[in-house]
Amino acid sequence: MIFFESVDKFYGSHRCLTRITAHVAKGEVVVICGPSGSGKTTLIRTVNGLEPIRSGRIVVNGQDVHAPKADINRLRREIGFVFQQFNLFPHMTVLDNVSLAPRKLRGLPREQAEEEARALLARVGLAEKANVYPGQLSGGQSQRVAIARALAMSPPVILFDEPTSALDPEMVGEVLAVMRDLAGSGITMVCVTHEMGFAREVADRVWFMDSGVILEDASPEEFFVAPRHPRARRFLADLRHA
Amino acid sequence: MGYTLDFGAILSGEHLRWLISGLRLTLELTLSSWVLALVLGVILVLLRSSGIKPAEWFVTAYVEVHQNVPLLVQVLFWYFAVPELLPEAGRIWLNERNSEFLLVMLALSFCFAAYMSEALRSGMRAIPQTQHEAGRALGFGYLRTMQYVVIPQAARLAIPPLINYSLLLFKNTSLAMAIGVHELTTQTRQIENDTFRTFEAFTVSTVLYLMISFVIMAGGALLERRIKREGR
C-alpha cells in the first residue's frame, strides 16, 4: 500500500531522512516510534506530500506521490491525515468540519454528506456534538472529530502524527479507543506515537527510528521483548524508567 | 439676531429633489465602489500571498501608491489622465456615457482595494499555517483552501478594519464633487448657490452624512456581534 524507496530529505544541510526504504502492506497497522528529532513526523508528512523530499520515491496506492506530474490534491483525498494539534476549522460546526471535503471534493449533496458525517461522528462517539463549534470541545473530543474528518473521504490509508501528544492524560484513552476500533476495520494505518501500550496491542509492525533512519522494523513481540538494535534497547529502557 | 433660519427653502420643492438625487448618487457611488473595492482587494491579497515574486512586488507597489497619494489626486488622475491613455474608440465610448460617475467609481475602488487588501492580509496573517495545511491534507488545492478555510476566518478578523474603510469610502465619495458628479456635496453647493441659505444647506447635508455613517457603523457592530456568537 505504501512503499518508501530510498527516500532522502534535507533541511538545509541537515539530513533528516536517510535512504528510507520500507513497505506498509494493505490493512496493516504500523507504529513509528523513536526519540524526538528522529524524523518520525517528517517521514509521515512525506507520505501525503506535506513535506517535499530530496530524492527517492514514495508510492501510495500505486501512485508516486512526489512525481512532478502527480495530482497531489487527488492523491491526498485517498490519504487521511490526523494532526497532533487537531487543526479543526474553528469557524465551522463539527458537522461542517467533517462534511466539507465530501461536499466540495466529492460533490455530494449536503443532506447525504451530513448523513455520512453524522454516522462518522457516531462512530467516534460524538453524535451529539454535531452542531457545536470546535472551540467548545475538549482536546480528546477535538481529536476524535479530526479523526472523523480524516475518514470522511473514505481513504484506504490514514496517517496519524502523534495524535495523543497534545492531550491531557485523561483524554488519551478515548482517542486510542477510536484508533483501536479503526485498526480492526481493515484500513491501512501508519501512526507516529509514544503510546507503547497501543503499539504493543494494535500494531502489526513497529518501526523504530533514530537520526532519520529506520533502525528496526519488527513485530511488536520482537520489538518489545527482544529489540535487536542497542539504540532501540536504550529507548525502551528510558521509556520504562520514565 | 440678524439671521433667521429657514430650512423650508431647502427641504421643499426643487431643492428637496436635488438633495434626494444627490443622496441617491452618493449611495450608488458608495455601494458600487465598495463592491468593486472588495473584489479587487481579495484579488490583491491572493496575489500577494501567492508566492509568485513579481505578483507580490506588484501588489506591494500598488498598495504603497494608493495609500500614499491623496485620494483627490487619484480621482483627478482617473478623470483627466486615464482617458488620454485610451484609444480613440474608448474615449468616445466614455464620452457617450456618464463617464464622471464611472471614473470616480473606479478611482475610489482602486484606492480602497489597497486598504481592504491590507485589512484582509493582516487577518490572513493571524490564521496559523496549520489551518492551511489541514485544508491541503484533505485534498483541497491552494485556492479552495483559501476559499473554505483561510479567507472565512481571516474575513472575521478583518471585519472591524473593513468597516472603518467602508466608512472612509462613503465619506470620500464627496471628492466626486471635484469632477462634477452630482452627488450629495455637489448638490448641497448648488442649493446653497441657489438659495444663499449656506448654514441650512450644509447642516442638512451634515445630518444626512452622519445618519448614513451611523447606519454603516450600526450594521458593522451587528455583524461583529453575530460573528462573535458563533465559534471561537
Side-chain angles (χ1 to χ4, degrees), chain B residues 204-216:
Chain B
V204 168
S205 73
T206 299
V207 169
L208 287 173
Y209 274 118
L210 259 182
M211 272 168 31
I212 293 164
S213 288
F214 282 143
V215 169
I216 294 173

Side-chain angles (χ1 to χ4, degrees), chain A residues 45 76 88 90-91 104, chain B residues 131 133 136 139 144 148 153:
Chain A
R45 285 166 60 91
R76 281 175 179 151
L88 293 178
H91 60 300
K104 303 297 183 186
Chain B
Q131 282 289 306
E133 242 176 28
R136 296 306 300 270
R144 297 181 93 192
Y148 300 126
Q153 293 184 66

Side-chain angles (χ1 to χ4, degrees), chain A residues 7-61:
Chain A
V7 173
D8 275 316
K9 179 173 174 61
F10 288 76
Y11 281 126
S13 61
H14 172 66
R15 188 170 202 172
C16 50
L17 293 177
T18 303
R19 279 193 298 282
I20 300 282
T21 296
H23 167 229
V24 182
K26 189 169 189 298
E28 208 170 30
V29 177
V30 170
V31 164
I32 307 177
C33 62
S36 55
S38 60
K40 316 180 291 286
T41 288
T42 305
L43 180 65
I44 204 165
R45 285 166 60 91
T46 60
V47 177
N48 70 345
L50 285 179
E51 296 284 351
I53 59 175
R54 169 75 65 89
S55 59
R57 264 171 27 118
I58 299 175
V59 178
V60 180
N61 224 350

Side-chain angles (χ1 to χ4, degrees), chain B residues 60-80:
Chain B
T60 309
Y62 180 99
V63 168
E64 290 305 322
V65 167
H66 285 84
Q67 287 191 342
N68 294 307
V69 173
L71 186 48
L72 180 57
V73 173
Q74 295 179 43
V75 169
L76 296 177
F77 183 85
W78 273 92
Y79 186 62
F80 291 113

